[in-house]
Amino acid sequence: FIQLGNAFNLMDVDPIIMRFVKPYLLYTVAFSLGVYCNMKSLSLSNVETVIVFRALAPLLVSIFDAVFLGREWPSLRSWGALSVIALGALGYAMTDEQFQSQGIQAYFWPTLYLFVISFEMAYGKKIISGVDMKTFSGPVLYTNLLGWPPMLAFAAMGGEYERLKNDVSARVMNGEEHLFPPIGLLLLLVGCIVGTGIGYSGWFCRSKVSAASYTLIGVINKCLTVLVNLLIWDQHASTDGILSLSLCLVGGVFYKQAPIKKVDHDYVDGGTPSKGKTDDGIELGMTPLIESSVQSRSNRGTNNIGR
């Protein structure tokens, strides 16, 4: 969709160059690993277990924000909110039958998922602020393009190709008019459109808030997942477990985004302020933080020519 829009001059798209591929490749690897951990977690436990560990991610991401991404440490209110999330997760673990029967082994994959998703959230914020892209189409294009190989691999691991082959063979044997059901193709098209829209909205939102806040937005979104799970599936948690999960979500609501650390200026090249922040320390969305290094290389090239 993005390349078609670019071909018909409907939108501007950043070019595909190696300097952009490298940082987004690492992000794609982390995202794919997170998907795999999520799949393994769901296969060995229930949806609520994954959601609770996902709700713990803001704790780690808040630390990453302060240590690596130039944010202040969370306020007392925010620490309290994050503590509520941790207490809710602990309360859920105490009521989970799989934890009681399998012990800590039931939480290996959810724990790994927690660390991977936390790194992904922090690194995603770093590259949206630090990679010199001019449009929001760039991050969407790069992540979807680089995500093709691992998603195809996951499909093979899940037996999707074999199921597709069997379904097509059955349709041919039955003499059906369409090898692929029209409604299925329509849903696939709708899914591609919605998925592209999610990509744009996700990267736009990520550029406007801190990594921890973006992580919390995803946690709050899980409320709908819980409701759907209660209405459809029978492998949901007990009442106490649901209340504990709700406590996690309440803590997420009361979290307040940490401000950017106050600095006078990040000067580069002997006196030019970095363009990654305004005078009052507010991040400028897509403005690159590594523009200073790009400018420095440009200046070195000019100096070499002068010599």
Side-chain angles (χ1 to χ4, degrees), residues 78-97:
S78 296
W79 278 125
L82 294 174
S83 298
V84 168
I85 295 174
L87 288 174
L90 177 61
Y92 175 83
M94 299 299 293
T95 63
D96 187 9
E97 294 180 357

Side-chain angles (χ1 to χ4, degrees), residues 19-20 126 129-132 266-270 272-276 288-302:
R19 182 163 59 92
F20 294 163
K126 181 176 179 63
S129 301
V131 177
D132 187 14
D266 293 332
Y267 285 93
V268 297
D269 296 334
T272 303
S274 170
K275 296 182 180 179
L289 295 179
I290 62 170
E291 188 171 350
S292 59
S293 62
V294 176
Q295 182 66 34
S296 178
R297 289 194 297 270
S298 175
N299 289 344
R300 287 198 298 269
T302 304

Side-chain angles (χ1 to χ4, degrees), residues 33-275:
L33 183 58
V35 171
Y36 180 76
C37 292
N38 188 33
M39 292 167 54
K40 293 292 291 185
S41 299
L42 290 174
S43 67
L44 298 174
S45 58
N46 51 28
V47 175
E48 287 86 355
T49 302
V50 178
I51 292 176
V52 166
F53 276 83
R54 179 70 167 78
L56 290 174
L59 286 161
L60 285 179
V61 179
S62 293
I63 297 175
F64 294 157
D65 260 346
V67 176
F68 301 109
L69 298 177
R71 292 275 171 177
E72 298 284 355
W73 288 96
S75 63
L76 290 178
R77 167 182 165 176
S78 296
W79 278 125
L82 294 174
S83 298
V84 168
I85 295 174
L87 288 174
L90 177 61
Y92 175 83
M94 299 299 293
T95 63
D96 187 9
E97 294 180 357
Q98 288 186 314
F99 180 80
Q100 297 175 1
S101 61
Q102 301 180 25
I104 196 65
Q105 294 181 353
Y107 288 84
F108 171 77
W109 285 106
T111 301
L112 185 58
Y113 171 69
L114 166 64
F115 284 100
V116 171
I117 195 70
S118 298
F119 169 79
E120 176 200 332
M121 292 297 170
Y123 186 70
K125 176 62 180 179
K126 181 176 179 63
I127 60 176
I128 196 64
S129 301
V131 177
D132 187 14
M133 287 194 175
K134 307 302 181 185
T135 70
F136 282 110
S137 297
V140 181
L141 175 64
Y142 275 74
T143 51
N144 281 275
L145 187 63
L146 295 172
W148 266 81
M151 292 304 109
L152 292 176
F154 289 154
M157 293 167 58
E160 297 294 335
Y161 300 129
E162 188 66 24
R163 281 194 287 269
L164 177 62
K165 178 182 177 181
N166 294 337
D167 184 68
V168 172
S169 299
R171 287 179 174 276
V172 172
M173 294 278 296
N174 296 332
E176 297 190 22
E177 181 180 359
H178 302 286
L179 291 180
F180 302 100
I183 185 63
L185 295 176
L186 177 61
L187 291 175
L188 177 62
L189 177 62
V190 172
C192 291
I193 296 174
V194 173
T196 304
I198 291 174
Y200 274 97
S201 61
W203 284 106
F204 176 80
C205 180
R206 180 174 266 151
S207 72
K208 299 302 180 184
V209 298
S210 68
S213 295
Y214 182 77
T215 307
L216 272 174
I217 292 172
V219 171
I220 301 305
N221 179 260
K222 303 307 177 186
C223 289
L224 292 176
T225 305
V226 174
L227 292 176
V228 172
N229 185 58
L230 290 174
L231 293 174
I232 297 178
W233 307 109
D234 58 353
Q235 295 181 343
H236 54 75
S238 64
T239 301
D240 291 340
I242 294 297
L243 290 176
S244 298
L245 176 61
S246 300
L247 187 62
C248 293
L249 300 175
V250 169
V253 171
F254 283 95
Y255 177 85
K256 183 178 180 180
Q257 176 172 285
I260 296 176
K261 292 179 180 178
K262 294 181 179 180
V263 293
D264 294 333
H265 277 296
D266 293 332
Y267 285 93
V268 297
D269 296 334
T272 303
S274 170
K275 296 182 180 179

